Amino acid sequence: MKIFLDTGSVNELKEVAAMGLLDGATTNPSLVAKEKRPFRDLVDEICRIVDGPVSLEVVATDTDGMVQQGPRAG
């Protein structure tokens, strides 16, 4: 079993990572907005904390927008 935390909270990720239980993370625009930080800065920090996959969602609702946003998030 793998444990993925669904959050935008750096503190939550650090806490679970320190326990050695964090295999990956997922987040979405709503969770990121709660942190009141620039999207890219937060994502960069999450990726430094998580030693595994990080799944992000784009905010676009059309195909062209999703294709444009995808590479910028990663």
Side-chain angles (χ1 to χ4, degrees):
M1 177 171 66
K2 294 192 179 246
I3 297 176
F4 283 63
L5 205 58
D6 186 25
T7 187
S9 169
V10 168
N11 290 335
E12 289 176 4
L13 288 163
K14 286 179 179 180
E15 184 178 339
V16 176
M19 292 182 222
L21 300 174
L22 187 62
D23 295 306
T26 65
T27 193
N28 63 55
S30 297
L31 294 172
V32 169
K34 289 179 184 179
E35 299 304 308
K36 299 185 183 348
R37 289 181 54 186
F39 176 79
R40 187 62 199 208
D41 291 344
L42 182 61
V43 168
D44 287 345
E45 187 168 1
I46 288 171
C47 288
R48 285 191 299 272
I49 295 166
V50 178
D51 186 23
V54 175
S55 175
L56 308 168
E57 289 182 21
V58 296
V59 295
T61 57
D62 65 298
T63 303
D64 290 336
M66 290 178 190
V67 169
Q68 288 178 349
Q69 288 179 1
R72 290 192 316 237

